[in-house]
Amino acid sequence: VQLQASGGGLVQSGGSLRLSCSASGRTFSSYGVGWFRQAPGKEREFVATISQTGGSAYYADSVEGRFTISRDNVKNTVYLQMDSLKPKDTAVYYCAVAIGGIASRQESYTVWGQGTQVTVSS
């Protein structure tokens, strides 16, 4: 499977963006999918993850209640709806797939997309 993240951009504080992670390959629905982010000078961190069917999701405390992860296995796409954005959400956002399903540890993910930049201005 190959992943392509898109949808990043510049938005004002309090605004919204929707990121997309599009996958090639017929086995996409067999994978859990996660979103991670890396801010300048910081380590990459977990944001959200969703199970193979979309029935379960898990979020980092920092985005709980503001971000929503979802997936459309027909379109081979996972989405990250980001609302009430804050300057501290500024980062490059990456999507990745995990054979074992829902997971928050980076080590569980085997294939990564190239990242999309999100910048939130104050």
Side-chain angles (χ1 to χ4, degrees):
V1 64
Q2 292 183 321
L3 304 175
Q4 177 80 29
S6 62
L10 174 64
V11 64
Q12 290 187 334
S13 182
S16 297
L17 281 174
R18 188 177 79 159
L19 305 184
S20 297
C21 177
S22 299
S24 62
R26 298 179 180 179
T27 60
F28 178 68
S29 60
S30 300
Y31 296 95
V33 178
W35 284 97
F36 293 78
R37 67 187 182 186
Q38 186 167 22
K42 295 187 177 181
E43 295 185 353
R44 188 163 57 188
E45 64 176 4
F46 167 74
V47 175
T49 181
I50 191 166
S51 62
Q52 292 91 326
T53 64
S56 297
Y58 177 68
Y59 300 89
D61 289 344
S62 59
V63 307
E64 179 80 55
R66 299 188 298 121
F67 291 9
T68 303
I69 189 171
S70 62
R71 68 188 298 163
D72 184 337
N73 285 339
V74 174
K75 295 182 177 180
N76 276 7
T77 302
V78 168
Y79 304 98
L80 184 68
Q81 177 67 40
M82 306 186 296
D83 299 318
S84 301
L85 282 162
K86 305 175 182 180
K88 65 179 182 179
D89 295 317
T90 295
V92 177
Y93 284 71
Y94 300 88
C95 60
V97 293
I99 294 176
I102 198 168
S104 61
R105 295 174 64 248
Q106 297 187 45
E107 294 78 5
S108 300
Y109 291 83
T110 55
V111 178
W112 293 78
Q114 87 291 357
T116 185
Q117 176 70 47
V118 172
T119 303
V120 184
S121 63
S122 58

Short mmCIF file of all heavy atoms in Angstrom, two decimals, residues 3-8 17-23 28 31-36 47-52 54 56-59 63 66-83 93-97 116:
data_model
loop_
_atom_site.label_atom_id
_atom_site.label_comp_id
_atom_site.label_asym_id
_atom_site.label_seq_id
_atom_site.Cartn_x
_atom_site.Cartn_y
_atom_site.Cartn_z
N LEU A 3 0.64 5.63 0.44
CA LEU A 3 -0.23 6.65 1.04
C LEU A 3 0.11 8.03 0.51
O LEU A 3 1.29 8.36 0.30
CB LEU A 3 -0.07 6.63 2.56
CG LEU A 3 -0.33 5.30 3.25
CD1 LEU A 3 -0.03 5.43 4.73
CD2 LEU A 3 -1.76 4.85 3.04
N GLN A 4 -0.92 8.84 0.35
CA GLN A 4 -0.75 10.23 -0.09
C GLN A 4 -1.59 11.11 0.82
O GLN A 4 -2.82 11.02 0.80
CB GLN A 4 -1.21 10.38 -1.54
CG GLN A 4 -1.13 11.79 -2.08
CD GLN A 4 0.27 12.18 -2.49
OE1 GLN A 4 1.07 11.34 -2.89
NE2 GLN A 4 0.57 13.46 -2.39
N ALA A 5 -0.93 11.96 1.61
CA ALA A 5 -1.64 12.90 2.48
C ALA A 5 -1.82 14.22 1.77
O ALA A 5 -0.94 14.67 1.04
CB ALA A 5 -0.86 13.09 3.77
N SER A 6 -2.97 14.84 1.99
CA SER A 6 -3.26 16.13 1.37
C SER A 6 -4.23 16.91 2.24
O SER A 6 -4.78 16.38 3.21
CB SER A 6 -3.85 15.93 -0.03
OG SER A 6 -5.07 15.24 0.04
N GLY A 7 -4.44 18.18 1.87
CA GLY A 7 -5.43 18.99 2.56
C GLY A 7 -4.86 20.01 3.53
O GLY A 7 -5.61 20.78 4.12
N GLY A 8 -3.55 20.01 3.69
CA GLY A 8 -2.95 20.98 4.58
C GLY A 8 -3.01 22.39 4.01
O GLY A 8 -3.39 22.60 2.86
N LEU A 17 -9.72 22.63 9.08
CA LEU A 17 -9.15 22.01 7.90
C LEU A 17 -9.54 20.54 7.92
O LEU A 17 -9.74 19.96 8.99
CB LEU A 17 -7.62 22.11 7.88
CG LEU A 17 -6.96 23.42 7.46
CD1 LEU A 17 -5.46 23.33 7.65
CD2 LEU A 17 -7.29 23.77 6.02
N ARG A 18 -9.61 19.94 6.73
CA ARG A 18 -9.80 18.50 6.64
C ARG A 18 -8.66 17.89 5.84
O ARG A 18 -8.48 18.22 4.67
CB ARG A 18 -11.14 18.14 5.99
CG ARG A 18 -11.43 16.64 6.07
CD ARG A 18 -12.76 16.25 5.50
NE ARG A 18 -12.77 16.18 4.05
CZ ARG A 18 -13.64 15.49 3.32
NH1 ARG A 18 -14.60 14.81 3.93
NH2 ARG A 18 -13.58 15.50 2.01
N LEU A 19 -7.94 17.03 6.49
CA LEU A 19 -6.86 16.31 5.83
C LEU A 19 -7.40 15.00 5.26
O LEU A 19 -8.30 14.40 5.82
CB LEU A 19 -5.73 16.01 6.80
CG LEU A 19 -5.12 17.20 7.55
CD1 LEU A 19 -3.95 16.73 8.41
CD2 LEU A 19 -4.71 18.30 6.61
N SER A 20 -6.80 14.59 4.15
CA SER A 20 -7.15 13.31 3.53
C SER A 20 -5.90 12.45 3.40
O SER A 20 -4.81 12.98 3.13
CB SER A 20 -7.75 13.53 2.14
OG SER A 20 -8.96 14.25 2.22
N CYS A 21 -6.07 11.18 3.57
CA CYS A 21 -5.00 10.21 3.37
C CYS A 21 -5.53 9.19 2.38
O CYS A 21 -6.37 8.35 2.74
CB CYS A 21 -4.61 9.56 4.68
SG CYS A 21 -3.35 8.27 4.54
N SER A 22 -5.07 9.27 1.15
CA SER A 22 -5.54 8.37 0.10
C SER A 22 -4.55 7.23 -0.08
O SER A 22 -3.33 7.45 -0.09
CB SER A 22 -5.69 9.14 -1.22
OG SER A 22 -6.64 10.17 -1.08
N ALA A 23 -5.08 6.03 -0.23
CA ALA A 23 -4.22 4.84 -0.32
C ALA A 23 -4.45 4.10 -1.62
O ALA A 23 -5.56 4.07 -2.15
CB ALA A 23 -4.51 3.92 0.85
N PHE A 28 -6.35 -1.95 1.72
CA PHE A 28 -6.40 -0.80 2.63
C PHE A 28 -7.31 -1.06 3.81
O PHE A 28 -7.01 -0.68 4.94
CB PHE A 28 -6.86 0.44 1.86
CG PHE A 28 -6.99 1.67 2.70
CD1 PHE A 28 -5.88 2.26 3.25
CD2 PHE A 28 -8.23 2.24 2.95
CE1 PHE A 28 -5.98 3.40 4.03
CE2 PHE A 28 -8.36 3.37 3.72
CZ PHE A 28 -7.23 3.96 4.26
N TYR A 31 -6.10 -2.51 7.26
CA TYR A 31 -5.17 -1.79 8.11
C TYR A 31 -5.86 -0.80 9.03
O TYR A 31 -6.84 -0.15 8.64
CB TYR A 31 -4.18 -0.98 7.26
CG TYR A 31 -3.27 -1.80 6.38
CD1 TYR A 31 -3.59 -2.04 5.05
CD2 TYR A 31 -2.07 -2.30 6.86
CE1 TYR A 31 -2.75 -2.77 4.23
CE2 TYR A 31 -1.22 -3.03 6.06
CZ TYR A 31 -1.56 -3.26 4.74
OH TYR A 31 -0.72 -3.98 3.94
N GLY A 32 -5.32 -0.68 10.23
CA GLY A 32 -5.63 0.49 11.03
C GLY A 32 -4.86 1.66 10.44
O GLY A 32 -3.82 1.47 9.79
N VAL A 33 -5.36 2.86 10.61
CA VAL A 33 -4.71 4.05 10.06
C VAL A 33 -4.54 5.08 11.17
O VAL A 33 -5.43 5.27 12.01
CB VAL A 33 -5.53 4.66 8.91
CG1 VAL A 33 -4.86 5.93 8.38
CG2 VAL A 33 -5.69 3.64 7.77
N GLY A 34 -3.41 5.71 11.17
CA GLY A 34 -3.14 6.73 12.17
C GLY A 34 -2.67 8.03 11.55
O GLY A 34 -2.14 8.04 10.43
N TRP A 35 -2.89 9.09 12.27
CA TRP A 35 -2.33 10.40 11.93
C TRP A 35 -1.33 10.79 13.01
O TRP A 35 -1.61 10.63 14.21
CB TRP A 35 -3.41 11.47 11.85
CG TRP A 35 -4.25 11.42 10.61
CD1 TRP A 35 -5.48 10.84 10.48
CD2 TRP A 35 -3.94 11.98 9.34
NE1 TRP A 35 -5.96 11.00 9.20
CE2 TRP A 35 -5.02 11.70 8.48
CE3 TRP A 35 -2.85 12.69 8.83
CZ2 TRP A 35 -5.05 12.11 7.14
CZ3 TRP A 35 -2.87 13.08 7.50
CH2 TRP A 35 -3.96 12.80 6.67
N PHE A 36 -0.21 11.29 12.59
CA PHE A 36 0.82 11.79 13.47
C PHE A 36 1.22 13.18 13.00
O PHE A 36 0.91 13.57 11.88
CB PHE A 36 2.06 10.86 13.44
CG PHE A 36 1.79 9.51 14.02
CD1 PHE A 36 1.11 8.53 13.30
CD2 PHE A 36 2.21 9.20 15.31
CE1 PHE A 36 0.86 7.28 13.85
CE2 PHE A 36 1.97 7.94 15.86
CZ PHE A 36 1.29 6.99 15.13
N VAL A 47 -1.51 11.59 16.91
CA VAL A 47 -2.67 12.48 16.88
C VAL A 47 -3.97 11.67 17.02
O VAL A 47 -4.78 11.93 17.90
CB VAL A 47 -2.70 13.31 15.59
CG1 VAL A 47 -3.99 14.13 15.51
CG2 VAL A 47 -1.48 14.21 15.49
N ALA A 48 -4.17 10.72 16.12
CA ALA A 48 -5.43 9.96 16.11
C ALA A 48 -5.23 8.66 15.34
O ALA A 48 -4.36 8.56 14.48
CB ALA A 48 -6.55 10.77 15.49
N THR A 49 -6.08 7.69 15.64
CA THR A 49 -6.03 6.41 14.94
C THR A 49 -7.44 5.86 14.80
O THR A 49 -8.32 6.17 15.61
CB THR A 49 -5.12 5.42 15.68
OG1 THR A 49 -5.06 4.18 14.97
CG2 THR A 49 -5.61 5.14 17.09
N ILE A 50 -7.65 5.06 13.77
CA ILE A 50 -8.95 4.48 13.51
C ILE A 50 -8.78 3.02 13.11
O ILE A 50 -7.80 2.65 12.45
CB ILE A 50 -9.69 5.29 12.42
CG1 ILE A 50 -11.15 4.88 12.31
CG2 ILE A 50 -8.98 5.18 11.06
CD1 ILE A 50 -12.00 5.85 11.50
N SER A 51 -9.75 2.20 13.52
CA SER A 51 -9.67 0.78 13.24
C SER A 51 -9.99 0.48 11.78
O SER A 51 -10.41 1.36 11.02
CB SER A 51 -10.65 0.02 14.14
OG SER A 51 -11.98 0.45 13.88
N GLN A 52 -9.82 -0.80 11.40
CA GLN A 52 -10.01 -1.19 10.01
C GLN A 52 -11.41 -0.87 9.49
O GLN A 52 -11.55 -0.43 8.34
CB GLN A 52 -9.75 -2.70 9.84
CG GLN A 52 -8.31 -3.14 10.05
CD GLN A 52 -8.02 -3.53 11.48
OE1 GLN A 52 -8.57 -2.96 12.42
NE2 GLN A 52 -7.12 -4.49 11.64
N GLY A 54 -13.49 1.30 10.94
CA GLY A 54 -13.92 2.63 11.33
C GLY A 54 -14.77 2.65 12.59
O GLY A 54 -15.22 3.71 13.02
N SER A 56 -13.87 1.99 15.65
CA SER A 56 -13.17 2.46 16.84
C SER A 56 -12.16 3.54 16.47
O SER A 56 -11.54 3.47 15.40
CB SER A 56 -12.44 1.30 17.51
OG SER A 56 -13.34 0.32 17.96
N ALA A 57 -12.02 4.51 17.34
CA ALA A 57 -11.05 5.58 17.12
C ALA A 57 -10.48 5.99 18.48
O ALA A 57 -11.12 5.80 19.52
CB ALA A 57 -11.69 6.78 16.43
N TYR A 58 -9.28 6.55 18.41
CA TYR A 58 -8.60 6.96 19.64
C TYR A 58 -7.82 8.22 19.33
O TYR A 58 -7.23 8.33 18.26
CB TYR A 58 -7.69 5.83 20.12
CG TYR A 58 -6.88 6.15 21.34
CD1 TYR A 58 -7.49 6.31 22.58
CD2 TYR A 58 -5.49 6.27 21.27
CE1 TYR A 58 -6.73 6.61 23.69
CE2 TYR A 58 -4.73 6.56 22.38
CZ TYR A 58 -5.36 6.73 23.59
OH TYR A 58 -4.61 7.02 24.70
N TYR A 59 -7.82 9.16 20.28
CA TYR A 59 -7.21 10.46 20.05
C TYR A 59 -6.19 10.82 21.14
O TYR A 59 -6.34 10.42 22.29
CB TYR A 59 -8.28 11.55 20.02
CG TYR A 59 -9.32 11.37 18.96
CD1 TYR A 59 -10.48 10.62 19.20
CD2 TYR A 59 -9.16 11.92 17.69
CE1 TYR A 59 -11.44 10.45 18.22
CE2 TYR A 59 -10.11 11.75 16.70
CZ TYR A 59 -11.25 11.01 16.97
OH TYR A 59 -12.19 10.83 16.00
N VAL A 63 -5.90 16.77 21.22
CA VAL A 63 -6.83 17.03 20.12
C VAL A 63 -8.22 16.48 20.38
O VAL A 63 -9.14 16.73 19.60
CB VAL A 63 -6.30 16.47 18.79
CG1 VAL A 63 -4.88 16.98 18.51
CG2 VAL A 63 -6.33 14.95 18.75
N ARG A 66 -11.69 18.11 19.42
CA ARG A 66 -11.51 19.09 18.33
C ARG A 66 -11.28 18.41 16.98
O ARG A 66 -11.68 18.95 15.94
CB ARG A 66 -10.32 20.00 18.64
CG ARG A 66 -10.45 20.81 19.90
CD ARG A 66 -9.33 21.82 20.04
NE ARG A 66 -8.00 21.20 20.12
CZ ARG A 66 -7.00 21.42 19.28
NH1 ARG A 66 -7.17 22.26 18.27
NH2 ARG A 66 -5.82 20.83 19.45
N PHE A 67 -10.65 17.26 16.99
CA PHE A 67 -10.34 16.52 15.77
C PHE A 67 -11.22 15.28 15.68
O PHE A 67 -11.54 14.66 16.70
CB PHE A 67 -8.88 16.09 15.74
CG PHE A 67 -7.87 17.20 15.59
CD1 PHE A 67 -8.23 18.54 15.67
CD2 PHE A 67 -6.54 16.89 15.35
CE1 PHE A 67 -7.29 19.55 15.54
CE2 PHE A 67 -5.58 17.88 15.21
CZ PHE A 67 -5.97 19.22 15.31
N THR A 68 -11.56 14.91 14.45
CA THR A 68 -12.34 13.70 14.21
C THR A 68 -11.73 12.92 13.07
O THR A 68 -11.53 13.46 11.97
CB THR A 68 -13.80 14.03 13.87
OG1 THR A 68 -14.38 14.82 14.91
CG2 THR A 68 -14.61 12.76 13.68
N ILE A 69 -11.42 11.66 13.32
CA ILE A 69 -10.88 10.78 12.29
C ILE A 69 -12.00 9.90 11.76
O ILE A 69 -12.85 9.44 12.52
CB ILE A 69 -9.71 9.94 12.84
CG1 ILE A 69 -8.99 9.20 11.70
CG2 ILE A 69 -10.15 8.99 13.94
CD1 ILE A 69 -7.69 8.52 12.14
N SER A 70 -12.00 9.68 10.46
CA SER A 70 -13.01 8.83 9.83
C SER A 70 -12.39 8.19 8.60
O SER A 70 -11.31 8.58 8.17
CB SER A 70 -14.25 9.63 9.45
OG SER A 70 -13.93 10.64 8.50
N ARG A 71 -13.09 7.20 8.06
CA ARG A 71 -12.55 6.55 6.87
C ARG A 71 -13.66 6.10 5.94
O ARG A 71 -14.78 5.84 6.39
CB ARG A 71 -11.66 5.36 7.24
CG ARG A 71 -12.36 4.17 7.86
CD ARG A 71 -11.36 3.13 8.36
NE ARG A 71 -10.54 2.58 7.30
CZ ARG A 71 -9.41 1.92 7.51
NH1 ARG A 71 -8.94 1.75 8.74
NH2 ARG A 71 -8.71 1.43 6.48
N ASP A 72 -13.33 6.01 4.67
CA ASP A 72 -14.22 5.52 3.64
C ASP A 72 -13.45 4.44 2.89
O ASP A 72 -12.60 4.75 2.05
CB ASP A 72 -14.62 6.65 2.70
CG ASP A 72 -15.63 6.23 1.65
OD1 ASP A 72 -15.71 5.02 1.35
OD2 ASP A 72 -16.34 7.09 1.12
N ASN A 73 -13.72 3.19 3.21
CA ASN A 73 -12.95 2.10 2.62
C ASN A 73 -13.29 1.87 1.14
O ASN A 73 -12.51 1.25 0.43
CB ASN A 73 -13.15 0.81 3.41
CG ASN A 73 -12.39 0.82 4.72
OD1 ASN A 73 -11.42 1.57 4.88
ND2 ASN A 73 -12.82 -0.01 5.66
N VAL A 74 -14.40 2.38 0.70
CA VAL A 74 -14.73 2.30 -0.74
C VAL A 74 -13.80 3.23 -1.52
O VAL A 74 -13.32 2.90 -2.60
CB VAL A 74 -16.19 2.65 -0.99
CG1 VAL A 74 -16.49 2.71 -2.49
CG2 VAL A 74 -17.11 1.63 -0.30
N LYS A 75 -13.56 4.39 -0.95
CA LYS A 75 -12.68 5.38 -1.58
C LYS A 75 -11.22 5.22 -1.17
O LYS A 75 -10.36 5.99 -1.61
CB LYS A 75 -13.15 6.79 -1.25
CG LYS A 75 -14.52 7.13 -1.81
CD LYS A 75 -14.89 8.57 -1.48
CE LYS A 75 -16.24 8.93 -2.10
NZ LYS A 75 -16.63 10.34 -1.78
N ASN A 76 -10.94 4.24 -0.30
CA ASN A 76 -9.57 4.04 0.19
C ASN A 76 -8.99 5.32 0.78
O ASN A 76 -7.83 5.69 0.51
CB ASN A 76 -8.66 3.53 -0.93
CG ASN A 76 -8.73 2.03 -1.12
OD1 ASN A 76 -9.56 1.36 -0.51
ND2 ASN A 76 -7.89 1.49 -1.99
N THR A 77 -9.78 5.99 1.60
CA THR A 77 -9.36 7.28 2.13
C THR A 77 -9.70 7.39 3.61
O THR A 77 -10.79 6.95 4.04
CB THR A 77 -10.03 8.43 1.36
OG1 THR A 77 -9.69 8.32 -0.04
CG2 THR A 77 -9.54 9.78 1.87
N VAL A 78 -8.79 7.96 4.36
CA VAL A 78 -9.03 8.30 5.76
C VAL A 78 -8.96 9.82 5.87
O VAL A 78 -8.12 10.46 5.24
CB VAL A 78 -7.98 7.64 6.67
CG1 VAL A 78 -8.05 8.22 8.08
CG2 VAL A 78 -8.20 6.14 6.72
N TYR A 79 -9.84 10.37 6.69
CA TYR A 79 -9.93 11.81 6.85
C TYR A 79 -9.58 12.21 8.29
O TYR A 79 -9.81 11.45 9.23
CB TYR A 79 -11.33 12.29 6.54
CG TYR A 79 -11.82 11.90 5.17
CD1 TYR A 79 -12.64 10.79 5.00
CD2 TYR A 79 -11.45 12.63 4.04
CE1 TYR A 79 -13.09 10.42 3.74
CE2 TYR A 79 -11.90 12.27 2.78
CZ TYR A 79 -12.71 11.16 2.63
OH TYR A 79 -13.14 10.79 1.39
N LEU A 80 -9.07 13.41 8.43
CA LEU A 80 -8.88 14.00 9.74
C LEU A 80 -9.50 15.39 9.70
O LEU A 80 -8.94 16.32 9.09
CB LEU A 80 -7.40 14.08 10.12
CG LEU A 80 -7.14 14.60 11.54
CD1 LEU A 80 -7.64 13.56 12.57
CD2 LEU A 80 -5.67 14.88 11.76
N GLN A 81 -10.68 15.51 10.29
CA GLN A 81 -11.35 16.80 10.39
C GLN A 81 -10.80 17.53 11.60
O GLN A 81 -10.90 17.02 12.72
CB GLN A 81 -12.86 16.60 10.52
CG GLN A 81 -13.64 17.89 10.69
CD GLN A 81 -13.60 18.78 9.47
OE1 GLN A 81 -13.68 18.30 8.34
NE2 GLN A 81 -13.46 20.08 9.67
N MET A 82 -10.26 18.69 11.38
CA MET A 82 -9.63 19.46 12.45
C MET A 82 -10.38 20.76 12.64
O MET A 82 -10.41 21.61 11.74
CB MET A 82 -8.17 19.73 12.11
CG MET A 82 -7.36 18.47 11.79
SD MET A 82 -5.60 18.77 11.56
CE MET A 82 -5.63 19.83 10.13
N ASP A 83 -11.01 20.91 13.77
CA ASP A 83 -11.77 22.11 14.11
C ASP A 83 -11.12 22.83 15.29
O ASP A 83 -10.32 22.26 16.01
CB ASP A 83 -13.21 21.73 14.45
CG ASP A 83 -13.93 21.07 13.29
OD1 ASP A 83 -13.78 21.54 12.16
OD2 ASP A 83 -14.67 20.08 13.53
N TYR A 93 1.76 16.97 9.09
CA TYR A 93 0.90 15.86 9.47
C TYR A 93 1.14 14.68 8.54
O TYR A 93 1.15 14.84 7.31
CB TYR A 93 -0.56 16.28 9.43
CG TYR A 93 -0.97 17.13 10.61
CD1 TYR A 93 -0.50 18.43 10.74
CD2 TYR A 93 -1.79 16.62 11.62
CE1 TYR A 93 -0.84 19.21 11.84
CE2 TYR A 93 -2.15 17.39 12.71
CZ TYR A 93 -1.67 18.67 12.82
OH TYR A 93 -2.01 19.45 13.91
N TYR A 94 1.31 13.51 9.15
CA TYR A 94 1.58 12.29 8.41
C TYR A 94 0.49 11.26 8.68
O TYR A 94 0.01 11.15 9.80
CB TYR A 94 2.91 11.67 8.83
CG TYR A 94 4.12 12.54 8.62
CD1 TYR A 94 4.54 13.44 9.60
CD2 TYR A 94 4.85 12.46 7.44
CE1 TYR A 94 5.65 14.24 9.41
CE2 TYR A 94 5.98 13.25 7.25
CZ TYR A 94 6.36 14.14 8.23
OH TYR A 94 7.47 14.92 8.03
N CYS A 95 0.15 10.48 7.67
CA CYS A 95 -0.70 9.32 7.89
C CYS A 95 0.13 8.06 7.70
O CYS A 95 1.15 8.08 6.99
CB CYS A 95 -1.91 9.32 6.97
SG CYS A 95 -1.56 9.29 5.20
N ALA A 96 -0.34 7.00 8.33
CA ALA A 96 0.39 5.74 8.28
C ALA A 96 -0.58 4.60 8.51
O ALA A 96 -1.67 4.81 9.06
CB ALA A 96 1.50 5.73 9.33
N VAL A 97 -0.18 3.40 8.12
CA VAL A 97 -1.04 2.22 8.30
C VAL A 97 -0.38 1.22 9.23
O VAL A 97 0.86 1.07 9.24
CB VAL A 97 -1.39 1.55 6.96
CG1 VAL A 97 -2.25 2.45 6.12
CG2 VAL A 97 -0.15 1.11 6.20
N THR A 116 1.79 16.47 5.08
CA THR A 116 1.19 17.68 4.57
C THR A 116 1.29 18.76 5.66
O THR A 116 1.05 18.49 6.83
CB THR A 116 -0.27 17.44 4.13
OG1 THR A 116 -0.80 18.62 3.53
CG2 THR A 116 -1.17 17.01 5.29
#
